[in-house]
Amino acid sequence: MTHYIFIFSLIIFSAASFATKRESADVILKGLAAKVCEKSGPDCEIIKRRCPRMVPMPNTCIVREYFDLEVAKERCGVDTYMTCYQDNIRFQGKALHEFTLPNQGKPILKRAFKECGPVGYYQVKSSELKNIEWAIIGVMNSVMEQAELHPPTYQDSKAFFECLVGVK
């Protein structure tokens, strides 16, 4: 399961096959995407920059980014949430570009995902965030065959990245 959560955003942004399946699943979150963008106020512009229209699953992307922003507020507080949110994005990129991609096809990648998969998971406290998390999971489970995702889906990417690079 942990490997699936790491590629969560890759599926949202990928342009691979199953486009029709992704698009029809993504429509389920259209109303929620509009609602969370409106609720997020000025942060909606940040979310929209992270989720350009050409993304194959724009509604899922918007809802996921809103979820990540709100989790950052829950974890780090309203005064420092943006730093927390940006750090998580930065370390997701580092995990992908500095570890996952260079180690494709190597035994260390499988070992690292096995050892580090559960590292840094955060169980959301807010019932609103739990509902949003389940909405995202529902869409992703319908797109990813045999995924069976379940909470928690938020992962502290810095803790995850530090674990990955420590695997020998």
Side-chain angles (χ1 to χ4, degrees):
M1 181 190 100
T2 55
H3 180 76
Y4 291 121
I5 292 172
F6 180 71
I7 61 169
F8 218 50
S9 60
L10 293 178
I11 290 169
I12 293 170
F13 288 102
S14 85
S17 62
F18 307 115
T20 304
K21 191 174 186 179
R22 279 196 318 256
E23 290 166 1
S24 62
D26 187 60
V27 170
I28 294 167
L29 293 179
K30 187 173 185 173
L32 182 57
K35 180 181 169 185
V36 299
C37 202
E38 182 180 318
K39 185 175 180 180
S40 67
D43 286 344
C44 184
E45 290 308 312
I46 294 164
I47 292 169
K48 285 181 178 178
R49 280 194 302 272
R50 294 269 307 148
C51 301
R53 290 186 195 271
M54 65 277 222
V55 169
M57 296 181 73
N59 298 308
T60 305
C61 182
I62 287 168
V63 173
R64 180 65 197 204
E65 287 302 315
Y66 173 82
F67 176 78
D68 287 352
L69 271 168
E70 292 300 309
V71 171
K73 288 178 186 176
E74 192 175 275
R75 289 180 64 232
C76 303
V78 293
D79 294 334
T80 59
Y81 78 96
M82 190 54 70
T83 299
C84 189
Y85 170 74
Q86 290 170 340
D87 282 350
N88 215 47
I89 292 168
R90 186 167 55 90
F91 280 98
Q92 284 172 359
K94 287 175 73 74
L96 178 64
H97 296 289
E98 295 179 24
F99 188 82
T100 306
L101 294 177
N103 289 302
Q104 283 295 312
K106 298 177 185 174
I108 191 169
L109 186 62
K110 186 175 183 178
R111 193 167 56 251
F113 274 114
K114 185 176 181 179
E115 288 180 30
C116 302
V119 172
Y121 279 122
Y122 176 76
Q123 187 74 43
V124 297
K125 295 172 180 67
S126 152
S127 60
E128 177 196 8
L129 288 179
K130 286 178 185 178
N131 290 338
I132 291 171
E133 185 173 39
W134 275 110
I136 296 166
I137 288 170
V139 167
M140 297 312 290
N141 281 341
S142 73
V143 173
M144 295 169 42
E145 294 179 20
Q146 302 174 0
E148 298 181 32
L149 297 174
H150 54 81
T153 60
Y154 182 91
Q155 190 168 31
D156 178 332
S157 296
K158 181 178 181 184
F160 180 65
F161 173 73
E162 289 173 349
C163 181
L164 288 176
V165 297
V167 172
K168 302 297 177 208

